[in-house]
Amino acid sequence: LNTIELDVKDEGGEIGFSPSNVPLARTVGATRRFYDPKALVGLAHRNGIYMIGRVVCFQDPKLAQARPDLAVQRPDGGVWTTDAGLGWVNPYDRRVWDYCVSVAEAAARAGFDQIMFDYVRFPSDGDVGSAVYPGKTSIARGRVIADFVAYAKKRLEPRGTRVSTAAFGLAATRDLGIGQAPRWISKHVDSLSPMSYPALYGGGELEIASPSAQAAAAVRKLSSR
């Protein structure tokens, strides 16, 4: 074992500690006392472990419910949610950018070697056609997400913290409508991790009848691309 990837901010919007530079996180009830980041990273480094902090970005039920003005909204002004009832925050809103990256900065100050931004995209589940984005511009979704990543890189780079993102593997071959354009995102990160889960691929894709049922064959096919 030489690397640990640890949730700093997870899919539920919860942050594993209480960052002093993000008072909004405490206000919305997102902070937890799961670990002391500086002490934990120090212990890991003394044992030769490289630490990656995972920061989930735009799926954030905590922030969305507490601050509907920052959320993706329904046509009636309420908070839009996925089929699972999870709220998302607005990728067009620079206040959301600051919140997410400020959490990442707190982890970087604690000594994390790398920040891996996840859910760096627009929502894909639920009635996405009804989602309303206050302040929406004519800028392509792919550019919005790439600009966010560039913003995050600019703020974290002075600390020497590496920046990476996760992306759907399918985004490399088609526009999924979620703003993930690997060719644009890759210009601003140190590494990009394609999520090549066989379950994401439909029947017939990868020249395989059922990628989910033939997972090993699907992974081999993906690895060869």
Side-chain angles (χ1 to χ4, degrees), residues 2 24 28 33 53 58 93 113 118 126 146 156 158 163 171 183 196 212:
N2 59 16
L24 180 57
V28 303
R33 295 182 178 180
F58 299 115
D93 197 317
D113 302 288
D118 202 357
L156 292 170
V163 174
R183 67 186 182 281
S196 54
S212 293

Side-chain angles (χ1 to χ4, degrees), residues 24 26 32 47-48 54 58 63 89 101 108 127 141 158 188 196 208 210 212 216 221-222:
L24 180 57
R26 295 189 295 277
R32 298 292 180 266
N47 286 276
R54 175 176 177 259
F58 299 115
L63 185 58
V89 286
V101 177
D127 184 9
R141 287 186 174 191
H188 309 295
S196 54
I208 298 173
S210 176
S212 293
K221 178 75 73 170
L222 289 163

Side-chain angles (χ1 to χ4, degrees), residues 57-83:
C57 294
F58 299 115
Q59 179 175 291
D60 192 330
K62 283 286 184 185
L63 185 58
Q65 291 299 325
R67 288 288 303 272
D69 58 312
L70 301 179
V72 178
Q73 299 176 359
R74 299 192 307 260
D76 64 5
V79 175
W80 180 91
T81 60
T82 65
D83 288 338

Side-chain angles (χ1 to χ4, degrees), residues 87-166:
W88 281 62
V89 286
N90 187 358
Y92 291 100
D93 197 317
R94 294 299 181 102
R95 295 173 297 175
V96 170
W97 291 20
D98 178 68
Y99 178 80
C100 185
V101 177
S102 293
V103 172
E105 280 185 325
R109 282 205 305 270
F112 278 84
D113 302 288
Q114 179 175 329
I115 298 297
M116 196 279 281
F117 291 104
D118 202 357
Y119 287 75
V120 191
R121 58 180 177 83
F122 287 75
S124 61
D125 306 318
D127 184 9
V128 294
S130 69
V132 175
Y133 299 90
K136 179 181 177 180
T137 68
S138 60
I139 299 172
R141 287 186 174 191
R143 290 295 182 191
V144 172
I145 297 302
D147 286 349
F148 164 76
V149 175
Y151 167 81
K153 177 69 172 178
K154 184 176 181 179
R155 283 183 53 176
L156 292 170
E157 196 168 32
R159 298 187 175 277
T161 308
R162 291 172 62 84
V163 174
S164 61
T165 63

